[in-house]
């Protein structure tokens, strides 16, 4: 028997960060930047207005107030995207929209609300003159050229995870492609004579293959590209054929056929095609696990593909995926933080631990009075997939503990965060 941590260390020791590729920025969400990105432009490119208002000289507002407006002659109007043609001389102003470049001579923008514009308009008057109702300090409501980013600045460092804001940042620098660590292709094979594909009629004695779907969705969720191999039958030929189709991938994940004393052929075939260890991991659910490498000859060269054999039970396969395959995929993608987000919560149920395994109990986490509480979803059998569909977290009971009593604190790995 090995611990969850030993199994994970061993798996991570086998997977490598993949190579970079240049691709369109919109396809890079969730990928890791493989280059330093420096700006070739100033952002914003020119001094511009942060408000709709009047561009003027701060000097001309001295002493202005509600009862003592400073009157200025309006010499033009500027929309965002157009360049000023007029200059602001003493005693004049230009009506300006947010984002429009600050005209020559102006150093400040006074917003509409601080002028008598509304009063003039409702009185049916023109805007050839404007009354300024506030004294403004120089630079008010002006966004300076390069105040966000100066030309030459290092804006995004190699290793940065690309979220929507980083993708927008690349666009704001005029970039449409960038260099990122590529996404791993993960080949998925379900095994078992009892399995039927979801689009086929269900014959007696058969069950639908759900693992392919759960695991494919997990792979996509964490940024990989699933390659579905389908269902391998419990025969040497079927399994060998399917596995061979998966050896172009960056990782092969099989489910089923790895338990001790299993009747399946899976173990024999896996053992023949590569080097593999069959582990009993001190965890619940998900005890049996296989890990190794499959070998493929590419001409003279041997290509080694990491292989993870998950248990067949739907809950076990998903939880072992979360604990072992997810960090491996993230590592291949160049991610550094591989841990699942974890919170502390008060458990609402007693959970016993009598055989020194790390228990991953399916729970619903809710916040009450500023404190997180976790309640078991119901029956916890490793074949009960509804225990996962009802859950938003996995309460982790350490292998060293005899269990927890209701009211005690536990760590909960969040499967997802819902808006509160
Ligand atoms: P095994 O690990 O092959 O002994 O399978 C353990 C249990 O999981 C058995 O009840 C299988 O029928 C079930 N099982 C295996 N593979 C799948 C799958 N792809 N989808 C749903 N259930 C499965
Ligand atoms: Mg099986």
């Amino acid at each position: 028997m090995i611990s969850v941590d030993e199994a994970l260390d061993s798996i991570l020791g086998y997977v490598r960060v993949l190579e970079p590729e240049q691709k369109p920025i919109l396809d890079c969400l969730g990928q890791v930047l493989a280059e330093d990105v420096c700006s070739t432009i100033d952002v914003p490119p020119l001094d511009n207005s942060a408000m709709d208002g009047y561009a003027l000289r701060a000097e001309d507002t001295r002493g202005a107030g509600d009862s003592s407006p400073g009157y200025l002659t309006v010499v033009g109007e500027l929309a965002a995207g157009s360049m000023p043609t007029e200059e602001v001389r003493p005693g004049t102003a230009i009506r300006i929209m947010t984002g429009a470049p600050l005209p020559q001579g102006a150093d400040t923008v006074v917003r509409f609300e601080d002028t008598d514009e509304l009063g003039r308009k409702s009185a049916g008057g023109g805007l050839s003159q404007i009354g300024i109702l506030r004294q403004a300090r120089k630079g008010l409501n002006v966004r300076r050229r390069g105040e966000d980013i100066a030309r030459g600045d290092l804006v995004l460092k190699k290793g940065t995870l690309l979220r929507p804001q980083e993708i927008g940042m690349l666009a704001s620098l005029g970039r449409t492609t960038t260099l990122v660590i590529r996404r791993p292709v993960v080949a998925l094979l379900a095994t078992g004579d009892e399995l039927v594909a979801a689009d086929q009629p269900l014959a007696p004695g058969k069950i639908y293959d759900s693992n392919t779907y759960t695991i494919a969705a997990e792979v996509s969720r964490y940024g990989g590209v699933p390659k579905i191999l389908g269902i391998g039958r419990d025969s040497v030929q079927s399994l060998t054929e399917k596995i061979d189709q998966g050896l172009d991938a960056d990782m092969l994940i099989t489910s089923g056929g790895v338990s001790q004393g299993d009747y399946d052929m899976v173990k024999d075939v896996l053992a023949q095609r590569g080097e593999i260890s069959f582990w009993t991991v001190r965890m619940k659910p998900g005890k049996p696990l296989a890990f190794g490498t499959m070998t493929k000859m590419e001409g003279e060269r041997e290509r080694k593909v990491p292989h993870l054999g998950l248990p067949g039970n739907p809950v076990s396969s998903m939880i072992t995926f979360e604990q072992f395959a997810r960090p491996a995929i993230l590592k291949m993608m160049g991610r550094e933080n591989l841990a699942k987000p974890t919170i502390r919560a008060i458990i609402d149920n007693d959970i016993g631990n009598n055989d020194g395994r790390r228990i991953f109990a399916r729970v619903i986490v809710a916040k009450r009075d500023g404190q997180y509480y976790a309640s078991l979803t119901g029956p916890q059998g490793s074949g009960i997939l509804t225990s996962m569909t009802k859950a938003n977290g996995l309460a982790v009971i350490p292998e060293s503990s005899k269990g927890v009593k209701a009211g005690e604190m536990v760590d909960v790995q969040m499967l997802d965060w819902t808006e509160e």
Side-chain angles (χ1 to χ4, degrees):
M1 286 244 246
I2 63 172
S3 70
V4 172
D5 297 331
E6 286 163 339
L8 180 59
D9 282 350
S10 187
I11 292 168
L12 291 178
Y14 265 91
V15 297
R16 298 277 164 266
V17 179
L18 299 178
E19 59 298 349
E21 62 177 353
Q22 185 82 21
K23 58 191 285 208
I25 57 174
L26 261 188
D27 298 336
C28 295
L29 186 63
Q31 285 182 269
V32 169
L33 200 59
E35 60 173 339
D36 283 338
V37 173
C38 294
S39 182
T40 55
I41 55 173
D42 287 324
V43 181
L46 293 170
D47 292 353
N48 69 89
S49 178
M51 285 283 175
D52 293 336
Y54 286 84
L56 44 71
R57 305 159 80 95
E59 240 170 69
D60 285 347
T61 68
R62 196 171 306 143
D66 284 323
S67 54
S68 55
Y71 291 105
L72 299 175
T73 305
V74 180
V75 295
E77 186 165 287
L78 254 182
S82 51
M83 285 301 287
T85 48
E86 309 291 328
E87 198 178 320
V88 172
R89 296 174 195 285
T92 71
I94 289 182
R95 195 165 183 267
I96 193 167
M97 303 304 138
T98 307
L102 201 68
Q104 274 278 309
D107 53 26
T108 302
V109 172
V110 170
R111 51 187 196 143
F112 290 153
E113 295 87 327
D114 294 331
T115 69
D116 64 2
E117 179 174 301
L118 207 62
R120 281 172 189 268
K121 277 185 169 164
S122 47
L127 290 175
S128 56
Q129 216 194 25
I130 192 74
I132 306 297
L133 308 178
R134 295 276 175 279
Q135 179 167 317
R137 63 166 172 78
K138 195 168 168 177
L140 185 71
N141 297 327
V142 174
R143 301 193 284 221
R144 289 284 163 211
R145 168 181 177 163
E147 84 174 13
D148 186 2
I149 298 156
R151 189 173 167 170
D153 277 358
L154 171 61
V155 183
L156 297 173
K157 276 225 244 357
K158 188 172 167 171
T160 301
L161 173 66
L162 298 180
R163 302 168 298 166
Q165 51 269 54
E166 282 79 26
I167 290 180
M169 173 59 79
L170 288 164
S172 78
L173 302 178
R175 298 277 303 257
T176 56
T177 67
T178 193
L179 199 66
V180 287
I181 307 290
R182 75 173 173 83
R183 298 181 188 278
V185 175
V186 182
L188 306 178
L189 177 63
T191 69
D193 277 342
E194 74 281 28
L195 301 179
V196 174
D199 61 353
Q200 297 296 312
L202 197 59
K206 309 287 183 187
I207 58 164
Y208 282 126
D209 160 27
S210 60
N211 290 348
T212 292
Y213 289 83
T214 312
I215 303 302
E218 289 259 63
V219 168
S220 307
R221 180 180 205 179
Y222 297 122
V225 180
K227 174 177 175 173
I228 294 175
L229 303 175
I231 301 167
R233 298 298 161 201
D234 290 327
S235 82
V236 174
Q237 198 201 343
S238 165
L239 288 168
T240 310
E241 247 174 56
K242 291 280 186 195
I243 288 172
D244 284 345
Q245 288 166 21
L247 296 186
D248 296 338
D250 300 299
M251 188 173 195
L252 170 68
I253 297 182
T254 56
S255 71
V258 293
S259 349
Q260 239 160 34
D262 210 312
Y263 168 80
D264 305 343
M265 315 261 80
V266 183
K267 285 165 110 169
D268 297 342
V269 176
L270 293 177
Q272 266 172 28
R273 303 289 289 123
E275 297 154 28
I276 191 150
S277 315
F278 296 93
W279 293 334
T280 306
V281 183
R282 280 197 298 275
M283 66 186 288
K284 186 177 162 184
K287 194 156 65 166
L289 195 74
F291 184 74
T293 53
M294 297 276 138
T295 307
K296 187 192 179 190
M297 293 310 291
E298 282 180 342
E300 295 287 281
R301 267 186 60 234
E302 270 190 357
R303 187 177 129 89
K304 293 215 184 278
V305 184
H307 165 246
L308 187 57
L310 307 179
N313 272 310
V315 176
S316 311
S317 71
M318 189 173 174
I319 290 179
T320 48
F321 179 96
E322 284 283 351
Q323 306 310 314
F324 304 113
R326 174 185 182 272
I329 290 171
L330 295 182
K331 181 174 175 187
M332 285 192 268
M333 293 185 60
R335 297 277 294 271
E336 289 199 339
N337 189 358
L338 308 180
K340 197 83 188 151
T342 298
I343 58 158
R344 298 278 290 163
I346 295 175
I347 189 85
D348 285 334
N349 317 74
D350 293 349
I351 302 174
N353 188 8
N354 47 22
D355 58 359
R357 290 198 270 164
R358 189 178 299 181
I359 297 176
F360 296 92
R362 276 75 76 204
V363 293
I364 302 157
V365 173
K367 204 174 193 179
R368 294 197 296 269
D369 306 325
Q371 165 69 53
Y372 286 117
Y373 289 83
S375 302
L376 288 179
T377 53
Q380 297 283 305
S382 58
I384 297 181
L385 196 51
T386 49
S387 74
M388 286 302 289
T389 58
K390 289 177 186 158
N392 60 357
L394 298 175
V396 183
I397 315 302
E399 43 273 66
S400 57
S401 102
K402 289 269 169 259
V404 289
K405 292 261 175 280
E408 289 179 10
M409 294 294 278
V410 291
D411 281 337
V412 181
Q413 288 184 1
M414 294 308 289
L415 291 168
D416 39 47
W417 291 97
T418 46
E419 274 81 10
E420 288 176 343

